[in-house]
Amino acid sequence: MSHAGAPSAILLIHCPDRKGIVISVTEFIYKNGGNILHLAQHVDPEQGVFFMRIEWDLADFAIPRDKIGEYFHTLVGARFDMRWQLHFTAEVPRMALFVSRLPHCFYDILARYESGEWRVEIPLVISNHPDMGPVAERLGIDFHHLPVTADNKAEQEARQLELLAGHDIDFIVLARYMQILSDDFIAHYPQRIINIHHSFLPAFPGARPYHSAHARGVKVIGATSHYVTAELDAGPIIEQDVVRVSHEDAVEDLIRKGRDLEKIVLARAVWHHLRRAVLVYGNRTIVF
Amino acid sequence: MSHAGAPSAILLIHCPDRKGIVISVTEFIYKNGGNILHLAQHVDPEQGVFFMRIEWDLADFAIPRDKIGEYFHTLVGARFDMRWQLHFTAEVPRMALFVSRLPHCFYDILARYESGEWRVEIPLVISNHPDMGPVAERLGIDFHHLPVTADNKAEQEARQLELLAGHDIDFIVLARYMQILSDDFIAHYPQRIINIHHSFLPAFPGARPYHSAHARGVKVIGATSHYVTAELDAGPIIEQDVVRVSHEDAVEDLIRKGRDLEKIVLARAVWHHLRRAVLVYGNRTIVF
Amino acid sequence: MSHAGAPSAILLIHCPDRKGIVISVTEFIYKNGGNILHLAQHVDPEQGVFFMRIEWDLADFAIPRDKIGEYFHTLVGARFDMRWQLHFTAEVPRMALFVSRLPHCFYDILARYESGEWRVEIPLVISNHPDMGPVAERLGIDFHHLPVTADNKAEQEARQLELLAGHDIDFIVLARYMQILSDDFIAHYPQRIINIHHSFLPAFPGARPYHSAHARGVKVIGATSHYVTAELDAGPIIEQDVVRVSHEDAVEDLIRKGRDLEKIVLARAVWHHLRRAVLVYGNRTIVF
Amino acid sequence: MSHAGAPSAILLIHCPDRKGIVISVTEFIYKNGGNILHLAQHVDPEQGVFFMRIEWDLADFAIPRDKIGEYFHTLVGARFDMRWQLHFTAEVPRMALFVSRLPHCFYDILARYESGEWRVEIPLVISNHPDMGPVAERLGIDFHHLPVTADNKAEQEARQLELLAGHDIDFIVLARYMQILSDDFIAHYPQRIINIHHSFLPAFPGARPYHSAHARGVKVIGATSHYVTAELDAGPIIEQDVVRVSHEDAVEDLIRKGRDLEKIVLARAVWHHLRRAVLVYGNRTIVF
């Protein structure tokens, strides 16, 4: 499951299900000298769709890295009408963090970053508040305070997109960022913006879910990490988890217990994204 | 937590919070020779409400059982404007089971009954299908097949109420009973009808929650046991739990995993009810 | 994950890891007209072992069922030095239940059997106590009361083996059977005897684990289902789970909570075994 | 459950169980003008021991803070042969952190500290490695690098005790500190040193538990936070939790999953300690 060691390539594939897909993909790798490290596939029998994640060692692979995509498409992908992504473990993904005032997810991600837990670069933090600036800067991360109002939202998003492009960002993590992104902004990073919502969606979407959970008297609370789509809190779910609560827990206790849950659930989702394990189909994820 | 052993009494209390409640209740018991076995209290600071469950040994208690309620009300309850229930562990509660065709919760409860796991009597099973008749009857339980249609619903509920009264039933467990009870029926057994719903409410109320959960692509599914109120799937929650699922789980796998969850969650709720641990306030439960 | 629908074949494979295994196996299936339904593989990089479970539709498969094993061995297995098992979903496995006096796992399995939850036949129940006889017999299952003492153990095990053979039993489930099986007996059903132990092994092996867990003051208790080997409670683990406990839980509460855990954990292990998802290597399981 | 708001007092009590304890304690508070905020009690029927945690508002309490202990002992404690501790929520506990090289628990606690999640002071960090020095110092915490060898251990512990005394430390948290403390050192802080062990004790005590868990093929891994006693990894357990693993998880995956578990379990234990909710009796904890 880890990517220490020799460089490898990862293909994420989906296509209409029919005979011969597995053999064609594995043959492409085998015939060209690749050693398969991981292979996972899944068929959705209702939709008739085939999904696959395959990782192979590049050490003796005959096709040069910059030609693999072209060759795969020509020899295999086109024949099966595949949608595919190709990743290389040697390429370190570049993440931008968006944060507001609640620091727990932000601190948690930076601690993982500082200790080298993930293979990732974090060159950019954007916030609508100035509070987290010193924390970002002590790790040498570029910090931008871009307060957002109804009036300046379009302008600030333009600035954000500029910064993201300037830092060559691959994907964005919203670490309890308390602003709703516009559809236009989201369209620039499809399936590349990861949010953490503090409820077990689809229960309690929107604002103040812990207050709603307390009012409803639930016995478990949850957190949900998902890709951001145009519809609020309705994107494809990557990871969820829950923790038990009781009548003894006031709203502030739900918030306290929820903090730990949110940071762990978000970190797991980012981990799956980083290891190129997530495929989105419709509004669901396959997490290989 | 168990009620083996000497007979004891249990008081479930709630009242406006103010000084002196705990001391007044404990004094009532202590001065009359009772030994406190369990005491749990809870204050809802937002609502300003005090809740208590207290259990004491009746062995040397000076007040006879049939006078305890009266004395308590006069000496303590009235002064603090208390709502209270008094239970005796020597009295075995009488449960009726409502079931349709899905047998897992039904079998699970009967297995607990047959093996003496719970202190309960189950003299009556009512079903809108005939299938479970032989299972009930082999344990000597009175079984009534009362099919329900839009036309005969009022009539059949009248018959059900008659049977419940005739068997001196204290509370009803809906073991995946697939009929909606009328408001009038529910009003006969307030906070005494326990249902199991196959989702983590408030997500996915109503019909076919596993199909909805699958379509939404959740990573956990749940089950919720609650007291039945006039509003469908919206009554006070007694117990909830969840189990992880993944993209590999088709709807039929959610149903399979859910079955085990439903029976365990329902059994825990019934257990809390049987040991007189549940207090309802507004739409929330305190489970001591 | 389910086996409703058309007949299919399942191969469970392990062998030394090297290039070309996946392609050789998938080619064997594809070239002979099989459609792959599920494929899961795993490599243990430390041990250098490759594991695979592959299931394919037999509808258009060119090789007749009774020749598949021979052909596979000749064309693929021998070349890669494979150990493999071949199963057909059309063949319904035959299970024997061993039980003593604690009924919860036994009742739970019989309820699944009676309701058709599993594709299994249970023609035989063996017990060292007479108590469960009537329960088995009301489902038409052959029940044998074989009390075991130090003196008659060898003799009774001989009788058990005779009964197992007579009923053409594929695998045995010990549903809280409180006798230790001899090494000789176990050797007749390698990786085909499933036990449930009432602790999260390797903590608290042997007798009275709930008492030990209580004395140690643990905050979670567990249950472990494993294949039986010559060393007590040390066989390959198929499934484990836990439940939270607190200081409020006396030993009898641990036993009560543990009962529900045991029956669910055992049922999950049996489910994995029934769907031919478990591979044993050394003292570990791969559960595909 | 939280201590925001008005100053209050907390009594943690245990004594031989007999009639009249609850009333005597509550009378002491009530008669002197205290308003009970929380009351939890527990009886261990096997040992015949009574436990209580009671918290009351000091706003109108007649006895001055520095006399409460004396009065309580004279009027109540002595009569029932009580062991008790008295705490005031206005007093902020002072914690020392011991750390080695693994940073995840350390970072996690400092993030909670920096964001004000806990009411605690952390004036001192001690480490046998220099690595975490800059991290402590950027928060203005006194950092001491005290490398420990077999030869200098007694001397370094003497230095540690001096530092602890000099900073007026109430309790110590071992955030993956990889040195075994001497019995003498431990005796200075009885039930005031909190450790995190990376297994679900009593399984896998000692070194390299993730390697042992992997070798045994468990399906859940755990973490245990406990008070340190003279016997290694055998002290009273405050909190435990687990996470599922599978055959796909190599040792390094167990370590990765375990990191998140360790930091959450340790944080929960520290939280319980900080809110004065933990009573130790024998080798078990009551966590009210």
Side-chain angles (χ1 to χ4, degrees), chain C residues 54-168:
Chain C
I54 190 160
E55 179 174 355
W56 71 97
D57 191 336
L58 289 174
D60 302 322
F61 202 56
I63 308 171
R65 257 168 63 169
D66 59 351
K67 293 287 185 188
I68 295 175
E70 181 196 324
Y71 278 47
F72 180 75
H73 179 73
T74 306
L75 299 173
V76 184
R79 181 153 52 108
F80 291 96
D81 203 14
M82 285 178 180
R83 299 290 195 93
W84 53 268
Q85 307 164 40
L86 178 64
H87 300 284
F88 298 102
T89 57
E91 289 171 4
V92 180
R94 297 172 65 80
M95 178 203 297
L97 273 170
F98 280 44
V99 67
S100 291
R101 274 187 159 142
L102 291 173
H104 51 285
C105 291
F106 182 69
Y107 278 129
D108 186 65
I109 289 172
L110 290 193
R112 293 171 200 271
Y113 184 50
E114 190 170 3
S115 61
E117 187 177 319
W118 289 338
R119 290 198 73 227
V120 71
E121 286 299 324
I122 308 182
L124 175 65
V125 172
I126 287 174
S127 181
N128 56 336
H129 293 281
D131 313 43
M132 293 298 122
V135 183
E137 281 156 7
R138 75 187 178 208
L139 296 181
I141 304 174
D142 202 16
F143 178 87
H144 292 267
H145 173 213
L146 298 176
V148 177
T149 64
D151 284 347
N152 75 356
K153 180 159 180 156
E155 187 187 324
Q156 295 292 59
E157 287 199 343
R159 176 75 185 120
Q160 290 168 1
L161 288 170
E162 197 176 31
L163 285 164
L164 292 165
H167 285 82
D168 202 14

Side-chain angles (χ1 to χ4, degrees), chain A residues 78-265:
Chain A
R79 182 153 50 107
F80 291 95
D81 202 13
M82 285 179 179
R83 300 289 196 94
W84 53 267
Q85 307 164 40
L86 177 65
H87 300 284
F88 298 102
T89 57
E91 291 171 2
V92 180
R94 296 172 66 79
M95 178 202 299
L97 272 171
F98 280 44
V99 68
S100 292
R101 274 188 158 139
L102 292 174
H104 52 285
C105 291
F106 182 69
Y107 277 129
D108 186 65
I109 289 172
L110 290 193
R112 294 171 199 270
Y113 185 50
E114 191 169 3
S115 62
E117 187 178 318
W118 289 338
R119 291 198 71 227
V120 72
E121 286 299 327
I122 308 182
L124 176 63
V125 172
I126 288 173
S127 181
N128 55 335
H129 293 280
D131 315 42
M132 294 298 123
V135 184
E137 280 154 9
R138 77 187 178 208
L139 296 181
I141 304 174
D142 202 17
F143 179 87
H144 292 268
H145 173 212
L146 298 176
V148 178
T149 63
D151 284 346
N152 75 357
K153 180 158 180 157
E155 188 186 323
Q156 294 293 59
E157 287 199 343
R159 177 76 185 121
Q160 290 168 1
L161 288 169
E162 199 175 28
L163 286 164
L164 293 165
H167 285 83
D168 204 13
I169 294 299
D170 294 309
F171 72 109
I172 300 166
V173 172
L174 308 182
R176 297 298 310 271
Y177 180 65
M178 307 304 250
Q179 288 289 326
I180 295 173
L181 304 173
S182 74
D183 294 4
D184 177 64
F185 184 97
I186 295 165
H188 281 78
Y189 289 89
Q191 297 163 18
R192 294 195 285 151
I193 308 174
I194 300 175
N195 186 42
I196 179 72
H197 182 75
H198 39 316
S199 80
F200 50 88
L201 290 173
F204 311 123
R208 293 164 70 84
Y210 293 127
H211 291 78
S212 303
H214 188 263
R216 181 62 189 91
V218 295
K219 301 299 184 188
V220 292
I221 57 169
T224 305
S225 189
H226 62 95
Y227 289 117
V228 175
T229 56
E231 193 184 341
L232 184 67
D233 296 334
I237 294 170
I238 308 168
E239 172 67 356
Q240 295 186 293
D241 211 343
V242 304
V243 67
R244 293 190 76 82
V245 297
S246 79
H247 64 272
E248 292 189 63
D249 292 304
V251 170
E252 70 195 39
D253 295 300
L254 302 197
I255 291 170
R256 175 180 52 79
K257 290 185 169 183
R259 269 195 301 259
D260 281 1
L261 197 59
E262 291 161 31
K263 73 189 188 193
I264 298 300
V265 167

Side-chain angles (χ1 to χ4, degrees), chain B residues 1-2 103 107-108 111-112 114-115 117 135 138-139 243 248-249 252-253 256 259-260 263-264 271, chain C residues 1-2 103 107-108 111-112 114-115 117 135 138-139 248-249 252-253 256 259-260 263-264 271:
Chain B
M1 260 191 199
S2 77
Y107 277 129
D108 186 65
R112 294 171 199 271
E114 189 169 4
S115 61
E117 187 178 317
V135 183
R138 76 189 179 205
L139 296 181
V243 68
E248 293 188 64
D249 292 302
E252 69 194 39
D253 295 300
R256 174 180 53 78
R259 271 196 299 261
D260 280 1
K263 72 188 189 192
I264 298 300
W271 163 257
Chain C
M1 256 187 200
S2 76
Y107 278 129
D108 186 65
R112 293 171 200 271
E114 190 170 3
S115 61
E117 187 177 319
V135 183
R138 75 187 178 208
L139 296 181
E248 293 188 64
D249 292 302
E252 70 195 40
D253 295 300
R256 174 179 52 79
R259 269 195 301 259
D260 280 0
K263 72 188 187 193
I264 298 299
W271 164 256

Side-chain angles (χ1 to χ4, degrees), chain A residues 1-4 103-104 107-108 111-112 114-115 117-118 135 138-139 243 246 248-250 252-253 256-257 259-261 263-264 267-268 271 275 288, chain D residues 1-4 103-104 107-108 111-112 114-115 117-118 135 138-139 243 246 248-250 252-253 256-257 259-261 263-264 267-268 271 275 288:
Chain A
M1 258 188 201
S2 77
H3 301 311
H104 52 285
Y107 277 129
D108 186 65
R112 294 171 199 270
E114 191 169 3
S115 62
E117 187 178 318
W118 289 338
V135 184
R138 77 187 178 208
L139 296 181
V243 67
S246 79
E248 292 189 63
D249 292 304
E252 70 195 39
D253 295 300
R256 175 180 52 79
K257 290 185 169 183
R259 269 195 301 259
D260 281 1
L261 197 59
K263 73 189 188 193
I264 298 300
R268 284 187 202 150
W271 163 257
R275 66 185 183 87
F288 281 120
Chain D
M1 257 188 202
S2 76
H3 300 312
H104 52 285
Y107 277 129
D108 187 66
R112 293 171 200 271
E114 189 170 4
S115 62
E117 187 177 319
W118 290 338
V135 183
R138 76 187 177 207
L139 296 181
V243 67
S246 80
E248 292 188 64
D249 293 302
E252 69 194 38
D253 296 300
R256 174 178 53 79
K257 290 184 169 186
R259 270 196 301 258
D260 281 0
L261 198 59
K263 72 187 188 193
I264 298 299
R268 285 186 201 151
W271 162 257
R275 65 186 184 88
F288 281 120

Side-chain angles (χ1 to χ4, degrees), chain C residues 120-285:
Chain C
V120 71
E121 286 299 324
I122 308 182
L124 175 65
V125 172
I126 287 174
S127 181
N128 56 336
H129 293 281
D131 313 43
M132 293 298 122
V135 183
E137 281 156 7
R138 75 187 178 208
L139 296 181
I141 304 174
D142 202 16
F143 178 87
H144 292 267
H145 173 213
L146 298 176
V148 177
T149 64
D151 284 347
N152 75 356
K153 180 159 180 156
E155 187 187 324
Q156 295 292 59
E157 287 199 343
R159 176 75 185 120
Q160 290 168 1
L161 288 170
E162 197 176 31
L163 285 164
L164 292 165
H167 285 82
D168 202 14
I169 294 298
D170 293 308
F171 73 109
I172 300 166
V173 173
L174 308 181
R176 299 296 311 273
Y177 181 65
M178 307 304 252
Q179 288 289 325
I180 295 173
L181 304 173
S182 74
D183 294 5
D184 177 64
F185 184 97
I186 294 165
H188 281 79
Y189 290 90
Q191 297 160 19
R192 293 196 285 149
I193 308 174
I194 299 175
N195 187 40
I196 178 74
H197 182 75
H198 39 316
S199 80
F200 49 90
L201 291 173
F204 312 122
R208 292 166 67 88
Y210 292 127
H211 291 78
S212 304
H214 189 263
R216 181 62 188 91
V218 296
K219 301 299 185 188
V220 289
I221 56 169
T224 304
S225 189
H226 62 95
Y227 288 116
V228 174
T229 56
E231 193 183 340
L232 185 66
D233 297 332
I237 294 170
I238 309 167
E239 171 67 357
Q240 294 188 293
D241 212 341
V242 304
V243 68
R244 293 191 77 81
V245 297
S246 80
H247 64 271
E248 293 188 64
D249 292 302
V251 171
E252 70 195 40
D253 295 300
L254 302 196
I255 292 170
R256 174 179 52 79
K257 289 184 170 184
R259 269 195 301 259
D260 280 0
L261 198 59
E262 292 161 30
K263 72 188 187 193
I264 298 299
V265 168
L266 178 57
R268 285 187 201 150
V270 172
W271 164 256
H272 292 315
H273 185 89
L274 282 173
R275 66 186 183 89
R276 312 302 192 180
V278 190
L279 251 170
V280 174
Y281 185 76
N283 205 38
R284 310 175 71 233
T285 61

